[in-house]
Amino acid sequence: MQRLNNMKIHFPKNNGEIFIKSINDKIKNSFFPNTKNFAESFEQILKSRTHEQDFIINELLNGFVTSKSKAIASGNKVPVIDRMVEAFSKRNDFHIVDHQFFAMFGNPNKPRSYVKKQLEELIKMFGLISKELTVEKDLRRSEKKVYTFYTFTDEIIKILEKKYIIIDSELGQARVSEAFDRNVFICMFLANIATNQDDIEKIGGPFTINGISSIFALILLLSFMPKISVNETNPILKDPSFNENTMSVIPKSWMMKQVLEFLFEPIIKIVAYRIGGGLWLSKIIDSDVNKRIHSQIRMLLKDVCRWHLGQLVRVEIPIFVEIANIFTEILITGNASKE
Amino acid sequence: MSYKRKSMRTTKSGRKREKWTDLLPRYLTFISHMRPILRETRRIITNLDADLLMDIEILDTIRQEEEKRNIRKVRALSEFSAMYRSNVFEIIKDFIVKYRKNIQMIDIKDYIIEFLKESVDALNILSHITNPDETNLEKTYLYRLVKFIEEILFPRGINMKIIYKKLLEHSINFYECQRHLLQPHTFYREKINNPDFFEIPGISPVVYQIINNILSLYNLDPNFGEFPEKKNHEIPMILTNDVFLPYIDSIANAEEEAIEKIAERLGLRIIDGIFLAPQESFIEILLENNYLRKNKQADKNIRLIPQFSNETLILYYLAFASQRRGFLSKEMINWISMNFAFLIYMGILKWKLSDENIFYAIFKDLQTNEKILPYLMKLICFPNYLGLDKMKIRDSPQYRKEIFNFIGSQIDNLKDFINEIAIFCEKFENKKYIKS
């Protein structure tokens, strides 16, 4: 109750200083850099990658169940993105051939339509470029065949080479390091949003805007949530997988539909406005589809937090701690000035 | 009139070789070709003057000479041997080139000999993993390893309560592995609404999300209704509609239609056509494990309040699959046996090879895996071991590639488990040694 009261008092202060600070310092800088240059934005997002951050973003985007065809981290049929990472890792020049890609899903000469469709969608979404190679006589049927290569733009390749290519100087070989993973593509996806935030169609329409705003609203809300101290006799303390130092129990009452709906809507709108301005805000309308997108975020909580004997447990990862610290700081300065 | 003789075969080709005595030699075939190559290479390196190793071309000449001695008639085997030998020599060459400036040649030679010795030892264990007539079953690595892994990931028991308890005991350390066993990567081949009611498929990503939704709803917004089998008791219930509320674009339509079947696998049931509530037998398990708390109401009714953990429903699904292992879907059988085979194979490698062994890459290579693991998978399915329907294991090379591709995408918990298996192997051998 006290936390709710504090939120009520401090959230509107100084034109929403808490939100401006939290979103600008912790979310925008790391996930939506203020630049129109795709490569620059990609580099900045890539730099702010940490294991914990990857986990959160990955889990949240993974759980984006409604994004049937637009999901980048999970496929309805096959985890295409994983295969894409695998295909790119096999060569050291960050090129893949459509034929090689199709071979991962069956006969490459008769690729299934959904594999072709998903590949095309992913290529578009990540801003990859294609190059064609015509072979006069292929080995199989001695027929003319056109192969399509997909690769990154030159600027992105330079960044990737710097970060993910390991050159064995003795052997003179170059290979893609194990650090090259699906999160590189997620960074591409975020960079695409950051640079094209004014072009709604390019970033996947209102769907993406609602989804992204909801995800970061959830991160904000989770960071603002208070810890509760559990009774000494609570069975959760005896649970070997519960670590008191890195985990905290957050009140379940905050997760009730009635509370979340009330808190969620304005925070989604604030996040949308701070990231994409009036254009994004105008897309957060109370349509049925949007309501469903927002309500599924409530389900996603389970992927970020864990349930331990009916208690919701937050793992204290840096982004939560940093945003919580901003809130506490403003709270303390607010109280001090009052005195 | 055709004079062509009619085939008398009634079964599909290849199906006749499904007896233990047929499968074991097939499993041993490639291993028995790998071991001599490594032993011979070790002999060559041992006899070679360390300074000669400086010249890489000498190794090429030796390899070419060795290839000439190839007298095998079967094309697949001679091709595999050539590939294997050339890989071994390539790795040795790379190792020499990489370290010849920093490490003395005599030490490099010792390292290579040691790595080869370890590899031969590992292959030795793999080739003596069991015996042709399954005598002294309990003394064989295969039996003991399958039972060790089975107890943690897929235990047997006379009832659900016992199986669930066993799973829960090990979930502290290996929950991720237990969950992994239920999530075949070829889920897109499964039919969620199979006409065969008893068939148990794996958990697809959508079903996994649905399980998460159910769990969250039980913990957050449960309704309470009368316990049908017990008077004055109330059990938690959630609305089926609430579970599917967040889905748009018919994404979860198939799951919504099959909710009754999914519910059964999670220990739940549909009440009044709209509520999802735990089954009577599951309520007992939940109470025993502190997942339900009794609360006496003012109206003297006892209300069972849910306090579920992440593993509560998933472990029931796993226990259910384990108890009804005869009804598992084709994908599940392939996935489970592949994971068991992989864990046994990697556990033995972890035990015998040092982490820096340069030949690890060959053992983990897809080409080696697909020569050993498919037969190991079938051996594991025999009644004395996992007791799964081995006829459902697919022989298609394309399918093998499809599932073995995912072997690489290990989860960290799986690595911990492999370490545990390696420790078990060590202990088991020490025990054998002391007894003998």
Side-chain angles (χ1 to χ4, degrees), chain A residues 83-212:
Chain A
R83 295 301 181 87
M84 212 154 166
V85 172
E86 195 189 320
F88 273 112
S89 309
K90 280 194 176 148
R91 296 167 61 112
N92 55 20
D93 57 357
F94 294 108
H95 277 64
I96 56 166
V97 192
D98 56 354
H99 196 264
Q100 169 205 2
F101 188 78
F102 297 146
M104 292 177 161
F105 301 94
N107 184 352
N109 299 304
K110 288 179 197 161
R112 293 182 185 172
S113 60
Y114 73 83
V115 176
K116 274 167 92 177
K117 203 177 140 207
Q118 287 207 0
L119 177 65
E120 275 166 26
E121 272 176 19
L122 288 170
I123 298 295
K124 204 173 131 196
M125 184 179 295
F126 298 133
L128 299 178
I129 50 169
S130 60
K131 295 173 185 170
E132 284 191 348
L133 174 77
T134 312
V135 180
E136 288 306 320
K137 275 185 177 179
D138 76 329
L139 282 175
R140 191 165 157 261
R141 286 191 174 170
S142 299
E143 285 170 358
K144 189 176 172 179
K145 194 151 189 176
V146 180
Y147 290 96
T148 313
F149 283 88
Y150 296 103
T151 185
F152 300 89
T153 57
D154 291 344
E155 286 164 311
I156 300 280
I157 284 192
K158 270 183 206 158
I159 299 168
L160 292 177
E161 277 176 351
K162 230 193 267 172
K163 206 167 160 79
Y164 298 110
I165 287 279
I166 298 173
I167 295 172
D168 196 322
S169 54
E170 296 289 346
L171 301 175
Q173 291 169 349
R175 62 183 172 83
V176 178
S177 77
E178 279 180 16
F180 181 81
D181 56 12
R182 56 157 58 193
N183 281 298
V184 173
F185 289 94
I186 290 177
C187 291
M188 294 275 283
F189 170 72
L190 291 172
N192 190 29
I193 295 177
T195 44
N196 295 309
Q197 52 183 257
D198 300 336
D199 191 341
I200 288 179
E201 280 318 302
K202 254 193 178 168
I203 58 172
F207 172 85
T208 311
I209 292 172
N210 276 281
I212 291 286

Side-chain angles (χ1 to χ4, degrees), chain A residues 51 62-68 74-79 82-83 86 90 103-107 112 114 168 170-171 173 207 235 239-241 252-253 255-258 288-289 292-293 295-296 298-303 305-312, chain B residues 93-95 97-102 171-172 175-176 185 187-189 205-206 208-209 211-221 242-251 289-291 305-311 366 398 401-403 405-406 412:
Chain A
H51 176 70
N62 251 344
F64 228 139
V65 285
T66 51
S67 49
K68 188 177 179 182
S74 71
N76 202 31
K77 299 268 181 200
V78 205
D82 285 340
R83 295 301 181 87
E86 195 189 320
K90 280 194 176 148
M104 292 177 161
F105 301 94
N107 184 352
R112 293 182 185 172
Y114 73 83
D168 196 322
E170 296 289 346
L171 301 175
Q173 291 169 349
F207 172 85
D239 193 317
S241 51
K252 244 183 355 179
S253 52
M255 290 293 144
M256 307 292 280
K257 206 167 150 188
Q258 296 83 343
D288 185 44
V289 172
R292 279 168 187 247
I293 293 174
S295 73
Q296 68 175 292
R298 204 158 65 94
M299 304 302 181
L300 287 182
L301 278 172
K302 251 271 301 103
D303 296 323
C305 303
R306 271 185 56 89
W307 285 111
H308 269 283
L309 294 174
Q311 300 285 5
L312 199 62
Chain B
K93 268 165 56 184
D94 285 354
F95 182 66
V97 173
K98 203 167 176 181
Y99 293 106
R100 65 185 167 190
K101 281 183 192 158
N102 309 325
S171 72
I172 301 161
Y175 170 63
E176 300 276 309
H185 279 275
F187 59 86
Y188 45 90
R189 288 171 178 264
V206 177
Y208 182 62
Q209 281 158 359
I211 297 174
N212 279 350
N213 291 358
I214 294 175
L215 190 68
S216 293
L217 287 168
Y218 268 116
N219 280 335
L220 291 172
D221 297 319
D242 283 354
V243 177
F244 294 97
L245 198 69
Y247 296 93
I248 55 169
D249 287 351
S250 334
I251 287 178
N289 294 297
N290 216 2
Y291 291 137
I305 299 170
Q307 40 184 32
F308 292 175
S309 293
N310 269 26
E311 56 274 14
L366 192 68
Q398 181 57 42
K401 190 175 177 300
E402 207 170 309
I403 60 170
N405 252 329
F406 293 106
D412 285 346

